């Protein structure tokens, strides 16, 4: 699965004995685990939603084998669908306690065991069948049921396109929503085969893991029949249906289909989709030494999706936000190629071999994150893929790892409610980064061989982290016990700094110093690369790179002796290591003077990032940072560096809205940012990626009457910027900006745009534009909708409203409503929908004051029963508030 790109929001073992045994004798830890599972211990299942790890282990002891035959009736018009599931089950031995079958939020019509009506209990979360009716080791259980369609993107989601009235359906199950489609054992280590038939309107196509074997016409309906699938976990089973537009292609014998709803079909750039998909196949099959393990590969673009994409076997779903109604930038195209490669990597790592339980979910996502970037770097047009990884995913990881809610990569997951609680920058970014360092540590071919052996040996089975690490260790001959303990079971971000002395213009001594935060004192070992630079004419040239394996508090780099004395020394050149960098005083001085003379774009990118890190850590005052960007950033031509600087200008602009500095000084700094961004927008090459970056930044920082008037004239066609073409989504950015400041005819602007574009995207954009207005009545309306009337809205609509409800300059409006917002936390906490909980939690704005930070602390203290998602959000908001306060104090002192 790919999460959407925000800084947002998963087993800790007692020892590493299993890994040691693996390295010594090659036995798999999963075998040891299977032996332990033979001991039966009764487990009571509470009448609550979700599934506990403890009960899942018990049920794994009960069930040896299960296969499902599923019939579903989709009429396309009602509020519910009907289904029958027939489960052929083989038990290990006679049951010693009742059997439960997961099924959330539906209605059970009947249960039969071996064809006979059987009494059962159903509590809205699972079905219980008494052991009296299951006396043998093999039984067939049949359940007739119905279930409402979903409107929150999970389970079987129903969407009616406002553009043309056509209805589309799709499923999204990870981690524990497959049981919202049909009753079954919804846990990853009970893999099954699935035989499916579906009745649906005659103009629809039905998609699942297999291609249909036949379709029978039945008047206004068609009956679709699918052959039995291979064995896999239910969270990657799928059912999609609707009048999708279909494009077809082929990847060296593998049938490819791409699908989108009819109203978006004209915007789909099929050449990109199929090219990126074929390139990924070309890379992964020889890398893994395993042919694609399934029969076909469909990619379905769907609306209202809660994530970026989901790796269902043979029928991957993508958020149709990946379809742009204008021209994509190269970064957007790379993002699409990355998510396509990520989901395809899962077909081997995750689908063919699947984690035993959700504590290893991080490995599933981290591996796909690493492999997607590797595939792009080695087999695509995107030669700067690793720079993009550094700019996006890795910064997300660094940001997450410095917060008080940081955590070890590997954590226990007691139940399915916790599976996504720690699904964040640590899961994707840090996990992907530490996997990225392993080929440097073990050797590239050794790492690849270990991965291949792991996938071959455990195909169609479940596995654990120890299985994976054991295969890497065996292939490389390296004992990874210490590495695994340091990197996977310990939280926190280390910092390195290089110090050096020179004699006769040559290095006489060079030391790397490693530090760790007090709360997470682990010092780690990893391989990094030093980059050494000197001025040569007008250019700052890298004259040497030096690989270094460092560990402990200090590492003396003997190989550096005798090298020319550098003017800039960067201790993580090329981004080999996962570590924060402190620049030495010589480097900092020369970087400030010569950043635009540095020839390597990746090096400049990392130094621009280090500059912002210094500001965020309050070592460099905010006004000096802004001045430096304005003085030097205009010369920068590398698109990734421009994206980074533009991102942080928006960031510091929002902080300035609340930092307690004098009004005149605030206005001066914010106006300087606005003027700089507008100038860069006008100067950028016609129709370039830089132009689009600066346009997006302009809509974030424009606030003066002159800038708002320019925005209005751009929207109305009365002003133009050479080469800038406004697509529908860019127009909505300008409309939202007008509404944010109640400028000109902001209400009419929404109505005008909706009249010419009534798509679902426009309706969501209209909600955002309204919610952002600094009006007490508007805030009251959308808080009512979220707290009291949420059943009347789709989750996508509520998410859109909350993300726009309180911008950084609207803190007083938030304060007016804060008591109501915090009081409603108890009510939101009781929701079954983790997605709804998340959007409520992250509605809170920047609160850059001691009073705001204290309110967050008081809420955490008073509300001890809040779910992990809410606790995490509140702690992170408090951290952000405290960081903003410190940045403000550093500025005010000047």
């Amino acid at each position: 699965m790919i999460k959407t790109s925000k800084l947002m929001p998963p087993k800790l073992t007692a020892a590493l004995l299993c890994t040691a045994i693996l390295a010594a004798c090659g036995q798999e830890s999963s075998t040891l685990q299977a032996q332990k599972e033979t001991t039966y211990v009764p487990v009571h299942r509470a009448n609550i939603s979700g599934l506990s790890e403890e009960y899942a282990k018990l049920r794994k002891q009960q069930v040896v084998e299960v296969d499902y035959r599923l019939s579903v009736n989709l009429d396309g018009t009602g509020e519910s669908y009907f289904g029958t599931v027939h489960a052929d089950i083989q038990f290990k031995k006679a049951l010693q306690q009742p059997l439960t079958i997961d099924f959330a939020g539906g209605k059970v019509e009947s249960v039969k065991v071996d064809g006979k009506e059987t009494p059962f209990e159903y509590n809205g979360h699972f079905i219980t069948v008494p052991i009296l009716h299951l006396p043998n080791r093999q039984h067939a259980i049949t359940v007739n049921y119905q279930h409402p369609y979903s409107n929150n993107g999970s389970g079987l989601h129903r969407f009616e396109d406002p553009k043309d009235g056509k209805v589309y359906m799709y499923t999204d199950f990870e981690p524990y929503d497959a049981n919202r489609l049909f009753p079954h054992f919804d846990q990853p280590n009970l893999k099954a085969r699935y035989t499916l038939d579906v009745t649906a309107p005659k103009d629809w196509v039905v998609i699942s893991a297999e291609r249909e074997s036949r379709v029978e016409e039945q008047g206004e309906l068609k009956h679709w029949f699918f052959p039995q699938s291979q064995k896999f976990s239910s969270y990657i089973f799928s059912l999609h249906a609707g009048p999708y537009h279909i494009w077809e292609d082929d990847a060296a014998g593998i049938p490819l289909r791409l699908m989108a709803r009819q109203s978006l079909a004209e915007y789909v750039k099929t050449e990109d989709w199929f090219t990126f998909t074929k390139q990924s196949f070309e890379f992964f099959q020889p890398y893994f030494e395993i042919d694609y393990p399934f029969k076909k590969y469909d990619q379905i673009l769907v609306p209202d999706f809660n994530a970026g994409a989901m790796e269902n076997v043979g029928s991957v779903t993508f958020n149709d936000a990946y379809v742009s109604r204008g021209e994509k930038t190269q970064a957007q195209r790379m993002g699409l190629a990355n998510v396509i490669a990520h989901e395809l990597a899962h077909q081997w790592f995750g689908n063919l071999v699947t984690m035993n339980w959700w504590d290893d979910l991080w490995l599933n996502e981290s591996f796909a994150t690493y492999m997607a970037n590797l595939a792009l770097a080695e087999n695509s047009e995107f030669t700067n893929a690793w720079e993009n990884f550094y700019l996006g995913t890795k910064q997300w990881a660094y940001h997450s790892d410095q917060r008080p809610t940081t955590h070890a990569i590997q954590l226990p997951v007691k139940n399915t409610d916790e599976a996504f609680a720690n699904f964040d920058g640590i899961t994707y970014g840090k996990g992907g980064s530490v996997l990225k360092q392993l080929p440097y540590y073990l050797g590239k071919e050794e790492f690849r061989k270990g991965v291949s052996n792991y996938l071959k040996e455990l195909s169609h089975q479940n596995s654990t982290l120890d299985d994976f690490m054991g295969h890497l260790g065996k292939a490389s001959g390296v004992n990874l016990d210490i590495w695994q303990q340091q990197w996977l079971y310990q939280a926190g971000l280390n910092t390195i700094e290089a110090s050096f002395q020179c004699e006769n213009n040559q290095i006489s001594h060079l030391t790397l110093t490693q530090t760790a935060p007090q709360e997470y004192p682990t010092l780690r070992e990893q391989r990094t690369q030093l980059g050494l630079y000197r001025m040569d004419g007008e250019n700052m040239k890298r004259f040497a790179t030096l690989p270094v394996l460092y560990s402990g508090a200090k590492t003396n780099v003997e190989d550096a002796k005798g090298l020319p004395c550098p003017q800039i020394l960067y201790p993580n050149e090329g981004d080999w290591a996962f570590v924060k960098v402190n620049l030495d005083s010589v480097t900092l001085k020369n970087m400030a003077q010569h950043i635009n003379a540095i020839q390597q774009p990746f090096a400049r990118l990392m130094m621009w990032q280090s500059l912002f890190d210094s500001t965020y850590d309050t070592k460099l005052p905010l006004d000096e940072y802004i001045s430096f960007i304005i003085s030097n950033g205009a010369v920068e031509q590398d698109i990734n560096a421009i994206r980074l600087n533009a991102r942080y200008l928006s960031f510091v602009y929002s902080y300035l809205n609340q930092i307690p500095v004098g009004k005149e000084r605030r206005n001066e700094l914010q106006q300087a940012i606005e003027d700089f961004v507008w100038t860069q927008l006008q100067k950028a090459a016609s129709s370039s990626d830089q132009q689009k970056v600066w346009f997006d930044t302009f809509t974030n920082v424009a606030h003066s009457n002159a800038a708002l008037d320019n925005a209005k004239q751009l929207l109305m066609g009365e002003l133009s910027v050479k080469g800038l073409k406004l697509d529908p989504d860019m127009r909505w950015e300008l409309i939202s900006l007008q509404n944010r400041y109640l400028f000109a005819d902001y209400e009419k602007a929404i109505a005008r745009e909706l009249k010419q574009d009534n798509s679902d995207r426009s309706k969501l954009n209209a909600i955002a534009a309204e919610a952002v207005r600094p009006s007490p009545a508007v805030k009251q309306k959308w808080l009512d909708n979220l707290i009291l009337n949420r059943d009347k809205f789709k989750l996508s609509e509520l998410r859109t409203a909350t993300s726009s409800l309180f911008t950084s300059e609207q803190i007083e409006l938030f304060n007016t409503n804060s008591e109501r917002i915090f009081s409603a936390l108890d009510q939101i906490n009781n929701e079954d929908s983790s997605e709804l909980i998340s959007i409520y939690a992250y509605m809170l704005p920047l609160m850059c004051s001691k009073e705001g930070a204290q309110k967050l602390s008081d809420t955490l203290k008073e509300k001890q029963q809040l779910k992990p998602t809410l606790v995490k959000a509140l702690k992170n908001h408090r951290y952000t508030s405290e960081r903003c306060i410190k940045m403000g104090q550093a500025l005010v002192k000047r």
Side-chain angles (χ1 to χ4, degrees):
M1 176 180 281
I2 282 281
K3 286 285 187 179
T4 48
S5 55
K6 286 187 177 182
L7 294 177
M8 56 186 174
K11 150 179 168 184
L12 190 58
T13 57
L16 298 171
L17 178 60
C18 289
T19 306
I21 293 172
L22 264 165
C25 61
Q27 295 297 310
E28 299 301 328
S29 63
S30 56
T31 303
L32 299 177
Q33 181 178 352
Q35 293 171 351
K36 293 176 183 177
E37 286 178 348
T38 59
T39 303
Y40 176 82
V41 179
V43 177
H44 172 71
R45 185 170 186 180
N47 291 328
I48 58 176
S49 64
L51 179 69
S52 70
E53 180 185 26
E54 184 182 31
Y55 188 82
K57 286 180 178 178
L58 168 76
R59 198 160 58 183
K60 177 64 175 174
Q61 292 179 33
Q62 293 176 315
V63 178
V64 174
E65 192 88 11
V66 60
D67 291 317
Y68 302 106
R69 283 182 283 133
L70 174 62
S71 297
V72 181
N73 188 321
L74 305 174
D75 63 11
T77 58
E79 295 181 355
S80 298
Y81 58 92
F82 301 86
T84 299
V85 61
H86 183 92
D88 293 310
I89 309 171
Q90 180 181 341
F91 298 102
K92 286 188 178 178
K93 56 184 178 181
L95 294 179
Q96 296 174 264
Q97 70 177 72
L99 180 71
T100 67
I101 303 169
D102 309 320
F103 184 51
K107 180 180 179 181
V108 180
E109 305 287 355
S110 67
V111 174
K112 294 180 180 180
V113 176
D114 301 328
K116 297 180 181 179
E117 289 276 357
T118 303
F120 63 92
E121 294 180 4
Y122 179 55
N123 61 4
H125 307 301
F126 53 85
I127 303 163
T128 302
V129 181
I131 57 174
L132 174 66
H133 302 284
L134 299 167
N136 304 321
R137 291 187 60 190
Q138 285 189 306
H139 286 288
I141 299 179
T142 303
V143 182
N144 288 297
Y145 68 94
Q146 62 174 291
H147 198 286
Y149 294 112
S150 162
N151 70 349
N152 66 3
S154 61
L156 179 57
H157 181 85
R158 182 184 185 276
F159 172 84
E160 184 172 342
D161 195 330
K163 193 81 173 176
D164 55 19
K166 296 184 185 298
V167 172
Y168 299 86
M169 298 179 184
Y170 63 85
T171 55
D172 187 33
F173 293 152
E174 190 176 27
Y176 188 69
D177 284 325
N179 67 89
R180 294 182 180 272
L181 176 67
F182 69 105
H184 70 286
F185 307 130
D186 195 357
Q187 60 190 73
N189 60 3
L190 283 177
K191 290 192 170 186
R193 300 175 186 87
Y194 309 86
T195 306
L196 173 68
D197 69 274
V198 179
T199 303
K202 65 179 182 180
D203 60 336
W204 287 15
V205 60
V206 180
I207 311 106
S208 191
E210 299 285 327
R211 284 290 290 265
E212 68 278 4
S213 54
R214 72 182 194 278
V215 181
E216 297 178 356
E217 292 196 18
Q218 298 178 351
E220 293 301 307
L221 302 174
K222 284 184 178 179
H223 198 169
W224 295 68
F225 296 87
F226 298 83
Q228 187 180 63
S229 72
Q230 298 178 59
K231 183 181 287 190
F232 54 81
S233 303
S234 63
Y235 81 93
I236 42 180
F237 178 71
S238 63
L239 171 59
H240 319 302
Y244 287 100
H245 189 97
I246 302 174
W247 300 268
E248 298 193 55
D249 208 324
D250 180 272
I254 302 164
L256 305 179
R257 292 191 298 182
L258 176 65
M259 307 181 200
R261 50 195 166 109
Q262 300 288 342
S263 64
L264 273 184
E266 65 179 294
Y267 302 110
V268 178
K269 307 294 192 298
T270 56
E271 182 179 355
D272 274 358
W273 280 87
F274 285 129
T275 297
F276 300 154
T277 303
K278 292 177 187 179
Q279 289 173 340
S280 298
F281 272 111
E282 289 169 3
F283 181 77
F284 289 137
Q285 292 189 115
Y287 189 95
F288 297 139
E289 297 180 3
I290 300 174
D291 288 340
Y292 174 65
F294 305 105
K295 295 178 183 177
K296 53 93 175 178
Y297 196 66
D298 294 333
Q299 297 176 106
I300 305 102
L301 298 160
V302 300
D304 292 346
F305 204 56
N306 289 325
M310 180 61 205
E311 65 269 17
N312 312 306
V313 166
S315 59
V316 177
T317 39
F318 292 81
N319 192 319
D320 65 16
Y322 286 109
V323 177
S324 174
R325 296 191 288 179
E327 287 299 315
K328 286 183 179 291
T329 65
Q330 192 74 342
Q332 290 171 324
R333 292 182 67 246
M334 193 189 319
L336 174 60
N338 192 293
V339 72
I340 288 173
H342 180 109
E343 303 309 324
L344 185 56
H346 274 310
Q347 301 297 315
W348 286 268
F349 202 103
N351 295 6
L352 179 63
V353 181
T354 312
M355 71 276 165
N356 186 65
W357 180 246
W358 298 109
D359 50 357
D360 285 330
L361 178 58
W362 76 268
L363 181 59
N364 205 18
E365 295 303 334
S366 296
F367 183 83
T369 297
Y370 168 67
M371 288 305 303
N373 285 280
L374 183 65
L376 262 62
E378 299 196 5
N379 193 49
S380 81
E381 66 187 85
F382 304 109
T383 56
N384 61 344
W386 287 121
E387 289 93 322
N388 192 67
F389 174 81
Y390 172 83
L391 173 63
T393 305
K394 202 161 189 181
Q395 295 310 316
W396 181 23
Y398 285 151
H399 186 81
S400 300
D401 213 13
Q402 295 176 84
R403 287 177 158 189
T405 54
T406 188
H407 53 86
I409 293 175
Q410 180 82 357
L411 283 178
V413 174
K414 293 182 291 186
N415 53 60
T416 52
D417 286 341
E418 291 185 3
F420 278 164
N422 289 310
F423 216 57
D424 54 17
I426 305 297
T427 309
Y428 287 91
K430 187 174 183 179
S433 296
V434 300
L435 290 180
K436 179 178 183 281
Q437 62 169 265
L438 274 176
Y440 298 115
Y441 191 68
L442 304 177
K444 290 184 179 181
E445 178 57 21
E446 289 79 4
F447 177 84
R448 188 202 66 77
K449 196 65 180 175
V451 169
S452 176
N453 291 342
Y454 165 81
L455 293 171
K456 289 175 181 176
E457 186 166 334
L458 292 166
S459 290
H460 303 290
Q461 300 178 55
N462 292 92
S463 69
T464 67
L465 171 63
D466 288 339
D467 292 323
F468 180 67
M469 299 307 298
H471 279 88
L472 295 184
K474 186 176 179 181
S476 62
V478 176
N479 188 316
L480 288 167
D481 292 4
I482 295 175
W483 185 93
Q484 186 173 344
Q485 182 63 39
Q486 289 180 347
W487 285 102
L488 305 184
Y489 297 102
Q490 305 296 329
L493 178 64
N494 297 107
T495 301
I496 58 170
E497 181 173 345
S499 59
F500 60 93
Q501 291 83 45
C502 296
E503 295 179 5
N504 300 321
N505 209 27
Q506 292 182 326
I507 296 175
S508 58
H509 185 75
L510 196 157
T511 301
L512 282 181
T513 301
Q514 179 182 195
T515 56
Q518 184 176 358
E519 302 89 342
Y520 306 104
T522 300
L523 297 178
R524 299 175 170 90
E525 178 179 273
Q526 65 177 323
R527 188 173 294 277
T528 190
Q529 181 178 232
L530 310 185
L532 293 85
Y533 294 79
R534 286 184 64 85
M535 287 296 293
D536 183 357
E538 295 183 354
N539 295 318
M540 179 68 74
K541 291 188 175 181
R542 186 179 66 196
F543 64 84
T545 57
L546 189 61
V548 177
L549 181 67
Y550 72 86
S551 61
K554 289 189 181 296
T555 300
N556 292 322
V557 184
E558 296 295 329
D559 291 345
K561 291 182 179 179
L563 290 174
C565 190
Q567 292 174 288
I568 290 178
L569 194 161
Y570 199 80
N572 189 21
E573 184 77 12
D575 191 35
W576 285 19
F578 184 82
V579 68
K580 189 173 181 178
V581 169
N582 270 351
L583 298 176
D584 65 89
S585 58
V586 174
T587 294
L588 194 59
K589 177 183 176 181
N590 285 309
M591 182 199 75
Q593 293 177 353
H594 303 293
I595 192 166
N596 289 311
I598 299 169
Q599 291 185 313
Q600 285 77 14
F602 199 175
R604 291 200 310 277
L605 176 68
M606 298 183 80
M607 292 181 195
W608 281 115
Q609 178 63 49
S610 292
L611 187 72
F612 174 76
D613 289 342
S614 295
T615 303
Y616 199 58
D617 292 340
T618 66
K619 297 175 183 176
L620 179 69
L622 194 58
D623 56 348
E624 285 192 25
Y625 174 75
I626 295 169
S627 177
F628 189 88
I629 294 288
I630 290 173
S631 299
N632 296 279
V635 181
E636 181 60 69
Q637 293 301 305
D638 178 68
I639 185 59
N640 281 329
I642 290 171
R643 289 168 60 203
L644 182 144
N645 286 337
R647 172 204 294 171
Y648 291 137
L649 281 176
S650 293
F651 181 90
V652 299
Y653 175 89
S654 67
Y655 270 44
L656 282 167
N657 277 320
Q658 291 192 28
I659 284 175
V661 65
K663 182 178 180 180
E664 183 177 341
R665 184 63 172 145
R666 175 185 290 111
N667 291 342
E668 178 187 351
L669 292 170
Q670 290 189 320
Q671 191 61 50
I673 293 172
E674 180 189 88
D675 291 343
F676 175 76
V677 171
W678 177 248
T679 300
Q680 294 306 108
L681 172 59
Q682 293 178 302
K683 287 172 49 182
S686 177
S687 302
S688 65
D689 288 2
Q690 290 95 324
Q691 189 180 63
K692 292 178 181 178
V693 169
W694 290 120
F695 173 83
D696 289 341
T697 310
F698 172 71
T699 61
N700 287 331
V701 304
H703 63 285
S704 69
N705 284 336
L708 295 172
D709 190 57
N710 285 338
K712 181 200 170 186
Q713 291 186 57
L714 282 172
L715 180 65
M716 301 300 292
E718 299 165 355
L719 175 69
S720 63
V721 173
K722 185 178 179 181
L724 182 67
K725 299 177 182 178
L726 299 181
D727 64 37
D729 297 317
M730 294 167 73
R731 293 180 59 82
W732 277 109
E733 288 185 67
L734 295 171
I735 293 169
S736 184
L737 177 62
Q738 283 187 232
N739 277 268
R740 181 174 176 176
Y741 292 99
L742 303 181
F743 186 82
D745 61 345
Y746 57 91
E747 290 180 295
K748 291 182 179 178
I750 293 178
R752 275 198 309 268
E753 203 68 20
L754 283 175
K755 188 174 181 179
Q756 66 183 39
D757 177 12
N758 68 337
S759 67
D760 60 303
R761 287 195 190 179
S762 282
K763 292 189 174 185
L764 290 175
N765 281 321
I767 288 173
E770 181 189 75
V772 79
R773 291 177 189 162
S775 158
V778 166
K779 306 308 180 187
Q780 179 77 26
K781 170 186 173 180
W782 280 105
L783 285 173
D784 284 348
N785 290 338
L786 181 60
I787 297 171
L788 303 176
N789 308 318
R790 54 183 176 275
D791 291 343
K792 299 178 182 178
F793 294 87
K794 295 191 298 182
L795 185 72
S796 58
E797 294 170 329
L798 295 176
R799 181 189 295 114
T800 299
T802 56
S803 65
S804 304
L805 200 52
F806 296 107
T807 53
S808 58
E809 75 277 5
Q810 296 177 5
I811 187 62
E812 291 306 320
L813 280 166
F814 172 79
N815 289 339
T816 301
N817 292 281
S818 63
E819 287 303 320
R820 184 184 187 198
I821 292 169
F822 285 114
S823 296
L825 283 171
D826 292 322
Q827 178 186 344
I828 298 297
N829 191 57
N830 293 325
E831 286 284 334
D832 285 343
S833 170
S834 59
E835 293 86 3
L836 178 66
I837 292 172
S838 294
I839 66 170
Y840 192 90
Y842 287 92
M843 170 182 64
L844 303 180
L846 175 68
M847 300 166 68
C848 188
S849 67
K850 292 181 180 179
E851 295 78 12
Q854 187 61 50
K855 179 61 179 176
L856 293 165
S857 293
D858 292 343
T859 302
L860 284 164
K861 185 177 180 180
E862 294 164 3
K863 300 182 183 296
Q864 296 290 319
Q865 302 305 315
L866 293 180
K867 290 181 179 178
T869 301
L870 287 172
V871 172
K872 183 175 183 178
L874 292 171
K875 287 182 177 180
N876 285 339
H877 277 293
R878 181 176 61 188
Y879 170 78
T880 303
S881 297
E882 292 169 346
R883 178 70 63 159
C884 180
I885 292 167
K886 291 179 182 178
M887 292 172 68
Q889 290 170 342
L891 176 61
V892 171
K893 287 179 182 178
R894 290 173 55 74

